[in-house]
Amino acid sequence: MDPRPLFQTLHALAEDNVNFFQESTSETGRRFVAAFTTIREHARCLEPVLSHFATIYHIFDLDEHTPANGYRSLAQTVRCCLAHIVHKSRYVATNRRSIFFRTSHNCAELEAYCTALTQLRALVYLAQRLLTQNQPGQLFNHEDRGLSEQFLQEYITMHKGCFYGRCMGFQFAPSIRPFLQTIAISLVSFGENYKRHVSGIGVAASSLFTSGKFAIDPELRGTEFERITQNLDVHFWKSFWNLTEMELLASLASMASSQVRLSRALLVPPHSFDLPLVADPQLTVTITPPVAHTGPGAVQMRLISHELREGQDSEELCNLMRPEGPLALELRWRTKPLPRSPYLVVHFHGGGFVAQTSKSHEPYLKSWAQELGAPILSIDYSLAPEAPFPRALEECFYAYCWAIKNCHLLGSTAQTVCLAGDSAGGNLCITVSMRAAAFGIKMPDGIMAAYPATLMQVSASPSRLLTLLDPLLPLSVLCKCLSAYAGMEPEQCESPTLEKLSPVNMVRRDTTMLFRDLRLGASSLFGSLLENTGKINGADAPIEPVRKSISEVGLKSKSLASSKESRKSQTYQNLSCASDASPTQSPAQSPTPAPDPDPPAASFFMSDGKHEAVPPSHDGTLTFPDGFQPLRSDQPATCMPLELSPIVKNPFMSPLLAPDAMLKGLPPIHIVACALDPMLDDSVMFARRLRALGQPVTLRVVQDLPHGFLSLSQLCRETRQASTLCTELIRDILVPQDPATQQPAATASHRKHRKLERTSHSTGAAASRAASHTPAQENSAVTAAEQEGPNGAAVGSGATPDAQARAAQEHQEGSRSPEGQQSGATDRSTPASGPGPSNGTVGRGVGA
């Protein structure tokens, strides 16, 4: 879809609202004018850049049937933000004269998205820099220093709280956003009480009590989220993510999941054994137990089976079972076991190599066991930073070999074996297969890797720019996990600013703040009503709002209150200056030195033949066109590792960097990636490498879901569909399709998962039509192309912001590839006989 109607609508709405609120003399009216002026300026600068990106998308795709890469994702995120702004601007234009119009609330919403658009504009400029400096067709910048280091420095200093407050998860499916808000509230509440209590119960209870203020104050939540993600260590993230391992939460998840006959934890002792070689079964190789870092030790795993099968009730397996607590009691089996299954699934869980176990992934594993009818062995490998690389790889490889050797105990003959894993587990699936090929033993028949991490170093790429706004995978968290797995995690130190509070004092403080926030919230609503009443009665005297934010007066903490107020006042000053700024000057910028008279270091050519000059940088920092500067964080700079150990380039740690000879020994790989995942480029580039080597590989890309959707498989319809897609890919490995029927089956799969691309498309459009069915008459000049998308979905007043952005992407991708409109989970299988048809496109340069 041509993005010009979206921008034309945005400019028209902004102009109309500016003309209206210029007549107001109140402070809120001035804030509206500043916000709409800033939005109009950002849209003017972003329109040619997005049009230019649309001309080079296809260069970085796996093939024409799989339109996915970081540049597409970044542009989609910007369009989604613009669509939200159009939706909010139309709402303001329609209801601004109503007595029930919440002036301060809607102004704060608009300012939040304006701030988000400012930061997204900076990310677009960073993506342009990647486009000019990377090798042709490459998504990653593999320089040890240089652009990746500069990007890391920019991330540290850029303001990120706006993406964790009112704009939380705006780019994802609507059904996901309430869950993300709950996660954010839980995280900041947990972080506030972290290290103040010894017991986990005390932390959980205090977090539950203090979560109310973060639920009613989005600005406070965003500020705290930014502080936590930048300053707390990997041990905090390990503790927070392991909350899903608590017995209560695990029991609730187990009751809501599919029921299985067997789900027992095993403890395999560290004994060596022999396996036959594939080349000559008369010869054997000795498999030794893992020894890295901590010496020989037992390997923990979990066996899940929907039906009881032969061998699973044997005395030998019962001796390997380990207790899981007083609630882990099971009834003895009384039914006759079924015959052993010819299939076996070996699973490696995700968690950034630092957190979680098979227990937290058990709900969707039970569903897999029921739908596949195969035993699933999930490995509980040792976690970093206590057990860094290669301990996890050694344990997973040992467990895989043990499963092949002792498959009769698992209720399987291991005739067909599939490796499956998500995120960090996807990385382990690939590296375990590489190690099995090096040993010459039986290889798995296939791999299903969901959003795998294939490059374990902090390298800049377009999709990794999205870590600035991703609530589940911020760049600082990603760096901490990578450094922990690489053995570079620094010593844990106590923060001098941590306040030690007793439970009684904490209850007294939080109770006072809660009632104060409620009182101030009521005062703010009353003041907004008085302001609207005065405006309707024609009163010229401005009535100032009672306050700007719920937490502005409610917080007594000097550190949080001062930092929050300074950030808010700076943002408001930047927005206020926009109304008086020249049209070519960015309204949200800090003073910058005079431009260097030297010629620009790089030029970004636009579709209309113009270009924006990027002045050179002599101090190693990034510069932006036209003197633009993103908003800077008021949080203290975090100590993020700029240099990782050379071990991150080990092919068994970063399979994307493995030599061709190692990759040629891999089995068929099915990759499932998320279009909005910061790790998307890991999947795309790894699939392209395998495709170029003639290796069988498929890439499915699901829309509107975050990283880690498998752990959310029971949350909503979209995550259930994506989990079903993973199940079908595993089934394709366990039960290979007949070549004569493979193509029709693939077509049916495309048709079945068509809804993955347009999550809540029709329902969201219908709901938004009911919410905004009466637009203002002055908006009737919107073009017909903006009113209705190519598929009949409304892109204007009758659609949600997600439907507007999604319809634009569908039309833009569909105009180039008709097959791209068929499903949101696109794939392209490649036989091992030769490279795919996209090799010529992959090798083309940026200017092609």
Side-chain angles (χ1 to χ4, degrees):
M1 177 182 175
D2 187 358
R4 286 178 295 180
L6 179 63
F7 284 99
Q8 291 172 359
T9 304
L10 181 61
H11 286 298
L13 289 172
E15 183 69 24
D16 176 70
N17 283 299
V18 166
N19 293 335
F20 177 85
F21 287 105
Q22 276 181 341
E23 301 176 359
S24 173
T25 57
S26 65
E27 178 190 1
T28 307
R30 291 192 296 269
R31 291 168 59 191
F32 267 119
V33 172
F36 280 114
T37 304
T38 305
I39 290 171
R40 186 169 52 186
E41 170 64 17
H42 289 325
R44 183 191 66 82
C45 296
L46 284 171
E47 183 175 4
V49 183
L50 296 183
S51 300
H52 173 56
F53 276 179
T55 63
I56 53 92
Y57 285 154
H58 63 281
I59 299 176
F60 305 94
D61 293 335
L62 174 63
D63 55 43
E64 61 180 3
H65 304 285
T66 315
N69 60 71
Y71 292 108
R72 290 183 182 273
S73 301
L74 181 59
Q76 175 185 347
T77 303
V78 175
R79 288 195 300 266
C80 188
C81 183
L82 292 172
H84 275 274
I85 294 176
V86 168
H87 186 74
K88 177 58 65 175
S89 301
R90 180 172 283 108
Y91 177 83
V92 171
T94 304
N95 300 277
R96 60 197 178 194
R97 292 184 174 89
S98 172
I99 191 175
F100 299 105
F101 179 65
R102 296 188 296 170
T103 308
S104 299
H105 168 77
N106 287 280
C107 185
E109 290 271 327
L110 198 66
E111 287 177 340
Y113 277 101
C114 178
T115 305
L117 189 62
T118 303
Q119 305 305 83
L120 287 175
R121 181 182 172 187
L123 296 185
V124 169
Y125 288 150
L126 293 177
Q128 284 186 316
R129 179 65 64 88
L130 284 171
L131 194 62
T132 58
Q133 292 194 5
N134 285 355
Q135 295 295 325
Q138 295 295 318
L139 291 172
F140 283 102
N141 186 275
H142 291 290
E143 298 178 1
D144 293 336
R145 308 189 69 87
L147 191 58
S148 295
E149 181 178 352
Q150 294 173 3
F151 163 59
L152 192 61
Q153 293 287 0
E154 282 292 324
Y155 174 88
I156 293 175
T157 60
M158 285 178 63
H159 169 63
K160 298 170 281 293
C162 60
F163 296 112
Y164 308 134
R166 298 179 185 270
C167 304
M168 167 70 71
F170 70 90
Q171 70 272 34
F172 298 118
S175 55
I176 296 290
R177 293 175 202 157
F179 171 78
L180 296 178
Q181 293 176 357
T182 304
I183 288 293
I185 294 172
S186 303
L187 188 143
V188 295
S189 302
F190 184 83
E192 186 178 46
N193 300 284
Y194 183 60
K195 295 182 179 179
R196 293 177 181 172
H197 298 274
V198 178
S199 65
I201 298 180
V203 175
S206 300
S207 301
L208 182 63
F209 187 82
T210 60
S211 60
K213 60 181 179 181
F214 299 114
I216 63 177
D217 191 346
E219 283 79 17
L220 176 62
R221 181 176 70 231
T223 302
E224 273 293 283
F225 198 104
E226 181 179 3
R227 180 189 68 85
I228 290 173
T229 54
Q230 289 212 161
N231 296 295
L232 291 183
D233 54 23
V234 71
H235 298 280
F236 167 79
W237 297 103
K238 179 190 288 285
S239 302
F240 179 72
W241 287 338
N242 283 339
L243 288 178
T244 56
E245 307 286 333
M246 294 178 59
E247 190 65 33
L248 177 61
L249 296 180
S251 300
L252 294 177
S254 179
M255 289 187 294
S257 60
S258 302
Q259 299 302 313
V260 296
R261 294 297 304 274
L262 179 66
S263 177
R264 290 304 302 265
L266 307 178
L267 190 65
V268 177
H271 300 320
S272 300
F273 54 87
D274 295 333
L275 283 181
L277 296 178
V278 175
D280 187 357
Q282 301 298 327
L283 301 178
T284 60
V285 61
T286 301
I287 306 298
T288 58
V291 296
H293 299 293
T294 57
V299 179
Q300 302 182 29
M301 54 191 75
R302 179 179 299 276
L303 177 62
I304 300 176
S305 181
H306 182 251
E307 297 290 346
L308 182 64
R309 297 185 179 273
E310 294 180 1
Q312 295 176 348
D313 57 349
S314 63
E315 189 68 23
E316 185 177 357
L317 185 67
C318 292
N319 293 334
L320 298 177
M321 294 182 179
R322 57 184 172 91
E324 295 186 90
L327 299 180
L329 300 178
E330 289 189 2
L331 297 177
R332 299 299 298 177
W333 305 296
R334 296 183 180 181
T335 59
K336 182 179 180 180
L338 298 178
R340 292 185 175 90
S341 171
Y343 314 122
L344 177 63
V345 178
V346 180
H347 172 262
F348 307 125
H349 66 81
F353 297 102
V354 301
Q356 297 190 332
T357 65
S358 61
K359 189 68 176 177
S360 53
H361 293 250
E362 191 179 16
Y364 72 82
L365 291 178
K366 289 181 177 180
S367 300
W368 286 5
Q370 180 181 12
E371 297 176 15
L372 296 172
I376 298 178
L377 186 67
S378 184
I379 314 305
D380 290 327
Y381 52 87
S382 298
L383 302 173
E386 294 79 10
F389 177 84
R391 182 72 187 196
L393 174 60
E394 289 185 356
E395 291 186 0
C396 290
F397 176 71
Y398 181 83
Y400 167 75
C401 296
W402 182 89
I404 299 298
K405 178 76 172 180
N406 300 275
C407 59
H408 60 283
L409 300 178
L410 307 177
S412 171
T413 61
Q415 179 180 344
T416 307
V417 181
C418 173
L419 297 187
D422 66 308
S423 191
N427 175 286
L428 292 171
C429 287
I430 300 171
T431 53
V432 166
S433 299
M434 292 167 56
R435 191 161 188 179
F439 273 71
I441 62 175
K442 173 182 171 61
M443 293 284 292
D445 295 273
I447 297 174
M448 195 291 295
Y451 37 88
T454 62
L455 183 63
M456 303 297 293
Q457 61 185 21
V458 187
S459 297
S461 81
S463 71
R464 291 195 178 187
L465 294 177
L466 297 177
T467 53
L468 186 78
L469 61 151
D470 194 287
L472 299 180
L473 198 62
L475 181 61
S476 56
V477 178
L478 179 62
C479 291
K480 289 177 173 64
C481 293
L482 296 184
S483 60
Y485 187 51
M488 299 288 290
E489 176 66 16
E491 292 294 332
Q492 185 178 2
C493 57
E494 293 287 340
S495 174
T497 60
L498 280 178
E499 178 186 5
K500 302 295 183 180
L501 294 180
S502 65
V504 176
N505 292 333
M506 183 173 295
V507 169
R508 182 183 297 115
R509 184 200 63 176
D510 292 333
T511 303
T512 303
M513 293 172 61
L514 178 61
F515 283 105
R516 183 170 299 175
D517 283 347
L518 293 176
R519 177 178 58 82
L520 292 175
S523 300
S524 179
L525 179 61
F526 181 70
S528 178
L529 293 177
L530 288 180
E531 181 182 358
N532 290 327
T533 304
K535 181 172 56 178
I536 292 177
N537 295 334
D540 295 332
I543 301 178
E544 299 297 337
V546 177
R547 67 190 195 94
K548 300 178 183 178
S549 173
I550 295 178
S551 63
E552 186 175 353
V553 186
L555 276 181
K556 288 295 185 181
S557 174
K558 293 184 179 180
S559 59
L560 289 180
S562 60
S563 63
K564 182 179 188 301
E565 184 63 24
S566 63
R567 177 188 63 80
K568 186 163 188 176
S569 61
Q570 181 63 39
T571 304
Y572 176 66
Q573 292 172 8
N574 292 333
L575 294 175
S576 300
C577 295
S579 58
D580 302 327
S582 60
T584 59
Q585 184 179 4
S586 171
Q589 64 179 5
S590 59
T592 56
D596 196 287
D598 295 337
S603 297
F604 303 129
F605 291 92
M606 304 300 153
S607 57
D608 57 357
K610 300 179 181 180
H611 66 275
E612 294 191 57
V614 181
S617 175
H618 302 289
D619 57 354
T621 59
L622 291 174
T623 54
F624 298 91
D626 294 336
F628 166 81
Q629 282 294 323
L631 299 178
R632 300 299 176 181
S633 174
D634 56 3
Q635 299 293 334
T638 182
C639 297
M640 295 175 61
L642 298 180
E643 295 184 2
L644 290 177
S645 170
I647 202 172
V648 298
K649 296 184 178 181
N650 189 311
F652 289 103
M653 187 174 185
S654 297
L656 182 60
L657 305 180
D660 295 346
M662 298 181 68
L663 297 181
K664 287 182 178 179
L666 289 175
I669 299 180
H670 300 283
I671 302 176
V672 180
C674 305
L676 300 177
D677 184 7
M679 311 300 289
L680 171 65
D681 290 338
D682 292 56
S683 299
V684 174
M685 291 304 299
F686 190 69
R688 288 174 59 181
R689 279 211 63 190
L690 295 176
R691 177 70 58 83
L693 296 174
Q695 288 294 108
V697 58
T698 66
L699 175 63
R700 306 285 186 96
V701 180
V702 297
Q703 302 290 330
D704 302 334
L705 294 182
H707 184 91
F709 66 78
L710 277 178
S711 298
L712 315 176
S713 59
Q714 299 174 326
L715 187 64
C716 61
R717 177 176 57 88
E718 292 81 9
T719 54
R720 286 193 296 269
Q721 291 176 342
S723 180
T724 301
L725 172 62
C726 297
T727 308
E728 292 186 357
L729 293 177
I730 298 176
R731 183 181 290 111
D732 291 342
I733 296 174
L734 298 178
V735 188
Q737 298 177 358
D738 187 2
T741 61
Q742 187 170 3
Q743 185 64 28
T747 305
S749 177
H750 276 268
R751 196 174 297 115
K752 181 173 183 178
H753 293 284
R754 182 176 182 179
K755 294 183 180 180
L756 284 175
E757 182 174 0
R758 298 187 300 275
T759 54
S760 303
H761 188 73
S762 58
T763 57
S768 59
R769 269 194 292 270
S772 57
H773 186 65
T774 58
Q777 295 296 329
E778 55 268 22
N779 296 332
S780 60
V782 179
T783 61
E786 191 271 342
Q787 293 289 346
E788 186 171 11
N791 297 322
V795 185
S797 60
T800 61
D802 296 294
Q804 300 171 24
R806 198 172 298 112
Q809 182 190 19
E810 290 169 4
H811 180 74
Q812 191 169 16
E813 296 175 354
S815 61
R816 182 179 56 82
S817 172
E819 294 83 358
Q821 297 178 352
Q822 298 301 318
S823 96
T826 55
D827 75 301
R828 179 70 173 176
S829 300
T830 302
S833 58
S838 64
N839 290 340
T841 304
V842 172
R844 292 164 59 185
V846 174

